[in-house]
Amino acid sequence: MNATRVLKLCLLASAAMTCPTSLMAQTSAATSVAAETGAQDNQQPSNRDIVVTGFRKSYADALRMKRNDLGVVDGISSDGLGRFPDLNVGEALQRVPGVQINREAGSRDATINLRGLPGTYARYTINGQSFADPVLDGSTPLGAFNSDVFSAIAVRKTISAKDQAGGMSGIIDLQIAPALGRKDGGFFKLAAEYDDLGSYKTPQITAGYNKHITDNFAVFGVVAYKREKFRRDSIYFNAYTPLSPTTTPNFASYADYYAPYNANGTCSAGNVCAATGTGTKGTKGVLFASDERQLVKYNEGSLLTAAGGAEWKPTDSLKVGVTGFYTRRNLNKNFTNLIELDMRSNLAVISPTTPVKVLADGNAYVQGANFSNIQINDSIRAQPLLEEMWDFNGTAEWKRDDWRVSGTLVSSRGQNNQLETQFDVRNLPTRAGNGISGSYNSGSGNISNYQLSLNNNPALTVPSGPYTWTAGNQPTQIAANGDQIIVAGSSGYGLNKVKAAQGEVERKFDLPFLSSVTLGGRYEQDRYISRGYRTSAKGVQTQNIDSGFLGANPYASSFFGGAAGNYLANWPQLDYNHIVSALQPVTVGANDTLTPLGWINDATNSAYSLYNFNVSRDIFAFYGQAEFAFKIGNIPFKGYAGLHYEHTDQLIDALTQQLGASGVSFVPTQFRQKYHDLLPAFYISANLRDNLILRAGYHEAFVRPLARTLTPTTTISANSTGYAIQYGGADLKPYYAKSFDASIEWYNRANGLVSLAAYRKSISNLIAAENRTDKLCPADATALGLGHLTTVGTTCYSDLQVAGQPAIITASGNFNQPNPITVTGLEFTVQQNLDFLPGLLKNLGGQFNYSYTTVSGKNADGTNAILPGVSKNNVNVIAYYESPKIGVRVTYSWRDQYSLTGSNSFTGGNSFVATRGQLDTSFSYKFSSQYSVSLDCFNLNNAQRVQYQVEEGIPRQVDYDGRTFTLSVRGTF
């Protein structure tokens, strides 16, 4: 596939939206859209509906779902060609008001935020039932689900008593149509994906078949397979450090930006002091980018997703069915290749080459410098990723007259394994100078002006022996004649199991007010198994280390698609396979344990000590809901009122770390917690006119802490100055929200909508980083083996000593903070088909939606609350042109800046991600009623993700993904 030709086709598709007549002149546009029929649409249109296919059908189906639902809901539907024309489920969902995709997520995991809250605050279901999310430390990775198997995706924003609990921000329901509701016949898709960053080409295939064996018994199956090969290139400015008189020869030029020392020789808190400092221009020093990295994250593997089921209706009253779902994303050839220039050593020489710039935060910066005698690290990290989940859902429903009885059985299993093996070669500075020199310029917020150069080529060399590893040194470090070789990596394994049984009885009434009453119960058994390991360099075969560890870098010539100015090109790559074959098999000692990857495990590291535990939850739920309908004057009202009760019995089996004379040992420990929750829900809507609906609702919801955030046991680890406490989280409790929703929806014409929705969520019991004094520095820490503690200034000291000095104690952990926060938002949507226009213009249509989110309240430390990863403003603009033969869709998704979690450790200010907009297009052509071809183009404008410090002129990280194109041929039979 020629990239230039593909790009021209995509740009042509975009241009068609502004000049459709020139494109449509080549087609038989005279046929009315109203005459088309959807190949997969099994619903009968009402007298207000227009029967449509393609993009028009997709938006019409989503609108029908929204209008008919008993609640506030948005969603997306597959088009008449049986597809979501987006890269993955997460990319498709970002078109929904209130949804934002997280581009921080690696490997196209496509996690999302919903209504101003992180993805972990949402509940994910398949056909309304919970499943075993394949999660490790974050939210459900929607990139692990091929969208080809789903018929629609609903985003429920008001939650009823009958819904699954656990969705504070809402419920994302992945819908698979049942067998009896499908039309007979088969379908297929053959596709090829092209990623222009790296010029990678990969195939995709989807096939499915639906069959009514008899009038009342049907089966279906669909399988979607795709190879994945893509990468993300990044430039990091990982640290900003004040210039030092020790390392900056012309430091006197910057003395006015440094505070003088106090009379007693101390430096006031918050200042950066120098002996020659005057403080006339500032007191925080002059910062420079002291740690810079160029990085390539290469991803390769496969995604297999399948669904199948059967449905039987033996009588008019009884219907039973089964639906199975399976997905496996195995990116087994994931590698991160990076080079790091660390200028923070006291032996380095730093000479700025750009003038000082003072920002609004009061900090002063220089953008460029010459350097010498710095540390260079070259690293290769194998990071295979496995996300796998299967789900079995059996249903039975009996309906007769005014009664309905239903039952559901669920069995599901998900796993998420994120492994890592890291090898570094590090050339360190020396007192005599290591011969390394060069220059850099960060580009001042414009990455095309970025510059990084080294005078030595290659950038570094494999250190010569002798090679030594000692227990007293860093466990991952091999000393090598003044330099270092690192063998490291943390691996996490998460296995999630869910089994559930649910029963429900509904009685309908023909009464002036009450229309139905539903009672139900559910038992769910959740099991989560967490395992963690930490690779060490102990026992590796150092005698096999040779110059072959370093080789040519296949990414150097195409790095950042050429958009990163004068980047460092003489950048070698470590040969991963050669290094593994040289260093393994390791020599195993008497008390050593091997990791699953064949390295000796470091049991003192938190990756092991914190993450080996099991969480068991037995959940009992009971609910009741009454639905009502009545009229006041000529205005019909309908809605529901209900209660949902849940009892949770949680048991954690963990290992408690003990430090003894013989080293580290672990003792089995159990933690049990029980909690009860009563969750009311109320909703009412009024049809003010036939086409005008007013909705309002209130519900309460809660979210249980993620299993891997519990890290149940408290651990103590030693360091060069003292000890670090990591508090366990076994006592963490759920967090809760009271949600108010309202919307007004005007269906001004067939398949047209103008709507405004508002919501307000009051959230309590949020989990926050530990900041309580009695935890950070408890007076009596003898139970932890740390003696008695005292706070001096901001430092916690023990009466124990390390290297002849009082031990410094640091502490971290999480707790349920007492301060509530409030999230408020607005969502405005306009969706229109322009089929009332004459001629070719009647084939136009589109959607515009805008979301606004804000937060108020205080964190536990008294600072203002923020919503990490959530933009205040988000816009989607979608336009399409569709005739019987040709369909064109252009989408533009924009979000403004947002803050990342926590404060930056280098300057104390928040780190932000800059405003970003992405342009996508989709073009389809139908050869006949059975066969079509489509071209989908993503990130046509080559948008980058830019993270910065305080303002965009001080970059922290820039990510480049390039453009992606998918060419598909579809058919039915």
Side-chain angles (χ1 to χ4, degrees), residues 218-236:
V219 297
F220 79 94
V222 57
V223 178
Y225 174 83
K226 65 181 293 188
R227 292 290 303 172
E228 295 193 82
K229 188 185 293 186
F230 58 92
R231 79 183 210 222
R232 165 177 280 188
D233 294 356
S234 301
I235 296 173
Y236 287 79

Side-chain angles (χ1 to χ4, degrees), residues 281-303:
K281 294 183 179 180
T283 58
K284 298 182 180 180
V286 177
L287 299 166
F288 74 105
S290 57
D291 187 275
E292 301 186 21
R293 301 179 183 184
Q294 290 182 184
L295 179 149
V296 171
K297 176 63 181 292
Y298 174 80
N299 305 265
E300 183 179 350
S302 62
L303 172 62

Side-chain angles (χ1 to χ4, degrees), residues 173 195 289 354 419 441 538 543 636 650 704 789 808 852 935:
D173 188 35
D195 287 80
T354 61
L419 315 184
N441 192 301
K538 184 179 182 181
Q543 72 277 6
Q650 176 178 285
R704 299 179 180 90
L789 309 185
I808 296 175
Y852 170 83
L935 176 63

